[in-house]
Amino acid sequence: MRSLTRLALVAAVALTSSAAAGTAAADDWDIPESVPAPSLVTQVVSTCDGPRSGVRVILEGGEHHMVTLDGSGLPATRTRTDRDHDVETVTFRSVPVGSYTVLVEGAGLLSDGVPVTVRPCAERDKALGELSVDVSCVGGWGQVGFEVANPATKGKRVFDLAVHGSPAYQAIELGKGVFQRFDENYWDDGTYLAVLTGDGLTAPLVREFTVSCSTGNRPGLGTYAQCDDKDDVSTDPLLWVEIDNVNRQEVVYTVTTGSATHAVAIPGASHGTAAMGAVGGGDHDITVTGSDGSEWGTSVSVDFCADVVVDDDGLQVSTRCVDGTSSVTARFFAVGPYPSEREFSVDGTDAFTETVRFDGEGVYQWTRHSGTFGNGTYTARLTGAGLDTVERFSVGC
C-alpha cells in the first residue's frame, strides 16, 4: 500500500520543503471490499482570492498525470515531477472565487475527486482563529481540510502544522488577512489531532477531528410522487423514495410509510430507489432504517390527484375540508412562451404571493395551504408572460 509525504508550501503556492507522513499509515488500514480506497493519494493546496491566489495539486510520484480543475474552465494540465520530494505537481494560477473538483485522468473510482473552494480572503470567520479543520466523505472515504489563517491586522506570520503526531506542512507564510487551505483524501475512520505552532501563538493550537465515513452516516433522501406522470392524472400517484448511500459499506435500507414497507440493498457510495406503491394525497411521514443500525426520517407532501383539472389558462385552485380544516391547493401548469415567469396572488392578502417559473413543458407545480383560509370566497390571480388569469374559489369548512 501507499504512504503519503506531505509538502510544505508558502502563500504563493510555491513548493518549499517536504515532511513525514501525517495520515495513518496506509499499510495499517483494513481496506473494506465495498468501495476501494482512492486511486491516488492527493493533496490540494489553495490560497484565498487575492494577489497570489491559486490551486496546487500534489500527487504521489511514479508517473505523470493529466489533472483538471473541473468547473474552472482552465485546460487540463500535465503534472511535473518534483524529484526532490518524489511527487507529481501541477499549479493552477489566478483561480477565481468558486467551487471546483480536482479530477485526475485515469482515477475514476467513487472515492476519487477532491472538492476545493476558493473563497475571498475577507470571508473567513475570524472567530475560527488561526486553525480550523473540517471533514467530509467522498465515496465512503474521508477528505480532510486544514485551514491555516493569519487573522492579524498587520504583518506576515509563519506557521508549522503537524497532523497525527508528524510534521505535515512547514513554513506556511501568510500575509495579514490571508488563509491557506490544505485538502487531502485517503483518510480512514479514526480520531486524529492537528497541531499548529508559529508566530504569535503563545501555545500550540490543537484541533481534534474524527473521520467516520465507513458506516452509520445519514443517506441522502429524496421523494417523488406526481399526479401527472401517468396516463390518468386523477388516480393516486406512485411514491418513490430515492436513497444515496454515502457510506463505504453496503447498507440495506428499509423504508416504511403507513402500512407500506420496502427494503433495498445499496452498495457503498451508490444510489438506489424504493418503490412504495400508490399513495393518497396528504402529508406522509417516512422512516428509513439501515442495516448499519441507523434510523432516519423524512416526509412527502402528495397532491390530491382526484382534484386535478389541467387548465390551459395556467391556474387551477381547488379546496377541501380535511378533519374540519380548510385545504386549499393552487396548481400552476406549463403554458408558453418559455421561459415564463409569472406572479401568483390572492386579493386582499400578500401572504400567498409567489413567483412561478417554467422553462419548458413539464409536470405542473403546486402549493397547498392547510388551515390558512377561513370560510369565504376569494379571488386568485396568475399574471405575467402573456397571462392574466383570474380564478375564484370558496372555502366552507
Side-chain angles (χ1 to χ4, degrees), residues 8-288:
L9 293 100
V10 299
V13 200
L15 189 63
T16 57
S17 62
S18 66
T23 54
D27 297 310
D28 299 332
W29 295 354
D30 181 16
I31 307 298
E33 296 285 333
S34 48
V35 178
S39 303
L40 293 165
V41 177
T42 305
Q43 298 165 268
V44 182
V45 183
S46 56
T47 304
C48 62
D49 187 43
R52 294 187 291 181
S53 66
V55 173
R56 187 167 198 187
V57 181
I58 307 167
L59 305 174
E60 57 185 329
E63 59 182 278
H64 296 306
H65 302 275
M66 292 298 294
V67 179
T68 301
L69 190 61
D70 191 47
S72 69
L74 298 172
T77 304
R78 189 171 184 260
T79 60
R80 295 184 178 182
T81 303
D82 180 340
R83 300 191 185 281
D84 292 336
H85 307 98
D86 190 27
V87 294
E88 293 290 311
T89 71
V90 62
T91 300
F92 299 91
R93 301 190 183 279
S94 301
V95 178
V97 169
S99 295
Y100 313 101
T101 302
V102 173
L103 301 177
V104 180
E105 184 178 336
L109 297 176
L110 293 171
S111 52
D112 286 324
V114 179
V116 59
T117 299
V118 176
R119 310 198 317 271
C121 292
E123 186 178 283
R124 191 174 192 272
D125 185 357
K126 291 185 178 180
L128 294 174
E130 286 83 356
L131 175 64
S132 61
V133 183
D134 59 80
V135 178
S136 60
C137 300
V138 175
W141 288 84
Q143 294 198 352
V144 180
F146 306 95
E147 207 163 81
V148 179
N150 176 13
T153 56
K154 60 181 179 180
K156 69 180 180 181
R157 299 164 71 185
V158 179
F159 301 98
D160 292 328
L161 178 64
V163 180
H164 199 48
S166 299
Y169 300 96
Q170 297 177 311
I172 307 168
E173 184 178 302
L174 302 175
K176 62 181 181 179
V178 173
F179 66 86
Q180 197 164 73
R181 183 177 174 88
F182 306 86
D183 287 289
E184 302 179 353
N185 68 357
Y186 221 105
W187 281 85
D188 201 3
D189 287 6
T191 298
Y192 308 90
L193 292 178
V195 180
L196 187 71
T197 56
D199 295 341
L201 298 177
T202 57
L205 288 182
V206 180
R207 301 286 187 264
E208 182 180 274
F209 62 97
T210 298
V211 178
S212 179
C213 296
S214 179
T215 187
N217 295 289
R218 180 183 179 89
L221 297 174
T223 57
Y224 179 83
Q226 292 283 353
C227 295
D228 54 358
D229 65 349
K230 45 193 169 51
D231 292 337
D232 185 351
V233 71
S234 66
T235 60
D236 286 342
L238 299 177
L239 171 61
W240 306 87
V241 179
E242 306 287 341
I243 306 172
D244 287 309
N245 178 14
V246 300
N247 299 287
R248 188 187 313 169
Q249 308 283 4
E250 177 182 275
V251 179
V252 178
Y253 292 103
T254 301
V255 183
T256 303
T257 180
S259 60
T261 298
H262 185 85
V264 57
I266 304 178
S270 299
H271 177 84
T273 303
M276 305 305 295
V279 62
D283 299 322
H284 304 271
D285 292 327
I286 299 171
T287 301
V288 180

